[in-house]
Amino acid sequence: NAGVTQTPKFQVLKTGQSMTLQCAQDMNHNSMYWYRQDPGMGLRLIYYSASEGTTDKGEVPNGYNVSRLNKREFSLRLESAAPSQTSVYFCASSGNRGRREKLFFGSGTQLSVL
Amino acid sequence: RKEVEQDPGPFNVPEGATVAFNCTYSNSASQSFFWYRQDCRKEPKLLMSVYSSGNEDGRFTAQLNRASQYISLLIRDSKLSDSATYLCVVNIGGGGFKTIFGAGTRLFVKA
C-alpha cells in the first residue's frame, strides 16, 4: 500500500518562482490536508479539503493556493515563492469523521526559497 | 501561549531506562488526544491514542488528566529504536482539520 504519496521530495526555488506540490492518497479518504513544519513549531495547517470539491483555509494560508483535483489528489501551489516559505511541507489524509480522526502523512517535501 | 505545549528536550537516556514526556493543552473543549512519533526527516506517524482511563500499548503508556489539561507518555525499557521526536496532538472537535500539534519532544536512547 502506497498510502499518501507526495512529490517532489526536495525543491529549491528562487524568490518569485512558482511551483506546485503534488499529493495523492489511495486509502479512499474523504479529507486531505497540507501542513508546514518549521523548527521549534508544531505542524501548522495551510489548507484542507474536507471532501472532494471543497477546500478551506487553515491557520497559515497566505501565499498558497490549493486544488482538490478529485478524491485522490490534492495539490498545493506557491504562486510567487518567498524566503518565509522555506519549510518542510507534509500532505496528509484522513477517513473517519469526527473527533478520533487519525491523520496519515506523506513523506514530506523539503522546500528552500533563496 | 501555544495551544499545545511540550518540553522540547532533548531527553538523553540509556537503553533500558524509563522515560516520561508531558504535554499541556490550553483548550478545555479538547476532545481527543494522541501521541505521534516522528523520526528524523520523516513524516509523523500515529503512535497511540490517549483515552481518559489511560491506556497501554506494549512498553508505552499514555495518561490523560482532563482537570489539569495534561497528557503524558511513559516509555519503559527504552530501545535504541525509540529515538525520535514525540508529538503531542489534540483534536478540539469537528474533524481532522481541528487537530493541533505540539512542537515535539526529542528523545535519544544511547547504548
Side-chain angles (χ1 to χ4, degrees):
Chain A
N1 285 339
V4 180
T5 304
Q6 64 177 102
T7 57
K9 290 194 179 299
F10 302 96
Q11 184 72 50
V12 178
L13 294 176
K14 294 181 179 178
T15 298
Q17 288 185 317
S18 62
M19 77 161 296
T20 299
L21 282 65
Q22 307 287 351
C23 177
Q25 52 91 11
D26 62 3
M27 295 176 282
N28 201 35
H29 283 167
N30 289 318
S31 301
M32 297 186 73
Y33 314 84
W34 277 104
Y35 288 91
R36 61 179 288 172
Q37 186 175 37
D38 300 294
M41 305 186 74
L43 286 146
R44 292 185 292 167
L45 184 63
I46 304 171
Y47 269 94
Y48 67 96
S49 171
S51 61
E52 185 178 355
T54 69
T55 61
D56 285 286
K57 295 178 180 180
E59 181 186 354
V60 288
N62 291 344
Y64 305 95
N65 284 300
V66 291
S67 296
R68 184 74 182 264
L69 304 170
N70 47 55
K71 190 171 186 178
R72 290 188 64 248
E73 298 174 286
F74 188 39
S75 62
L76 178 72
R77 182 159 178 85
L78 286 71
E79 290 290 352
S80 179
S84 60
Q85 294 178 305
T86 293
S87 188
V88 180
Y89 291 84
F90 289 101
C91 177
S93 70
S94 66
N96 300 325
R97 292 193 178 275
R99 60 193 179 91
R100 287 244 163 247
E101 204 145 334
K102 297 168 189 174
L103 300 175
F104 296 83
F105 288 86
S107 58
T109 298
Q110 175 83 54
L111 174 66
S112 295
V113 182
L114 306 178
Chain B
R1 182 185 171 189
K2 292 181 182 177
E3 291 193 71
V4 178
E5 294 208 59
Q6 298 182 248
D7 180 345
F11 286 63
N12 293 290
V13 302
E15 266 188 301
T18 296
V19 61
F21 308 137
N22 301 321
C23 162
T24 58
Y25 59 94
S26 62
N27 191 329
S28 60
S30 298
Q31 298 186 13
S32 53
F33 310 89
F34 309 89
W35 285 99
Y36 279 69
R37 171 193 168 125
Q38 186 172 24
D39 293 312
C40 188
R41 301 186 185 277
K42 301 282 190 181
E43 72 273 22
K45 293 182 179 178
L46 179 68
L47 178 66
M48 60 195 300
S49 299
V50 186
Y51 299 105
S52 297
S53 55
N55 51 296
E56 193 172 302
D57 183 0
R59 299 181 292 107
F60 298 84
T61 301
Q63 298 277 355
L64 169 63
N65 184 322
R66 286 187 183 271
S68 301
Q69 295 182 199
Y70 165 101
I71 306 158
S72 66
L73 177 68
L74 182 78
I75 306 175
R76 291 184 300 278
D77 189 22
S78 299
K79 310 292 185 192
L80 295 175
S81 57
D82 293 334
S83 297
T85 297
Y86 291 84
L87 309 179
C88 177
V89 180
V90 171
N91 186 292
I92 60 175
F97 65 96
K98 296 288 184 76
T99 301
I100 310 297
F101 288 81
T105 298
R106 293 198 73 184
L107 172 66
F108 293 102
V109 181
K110 305 198 171 184

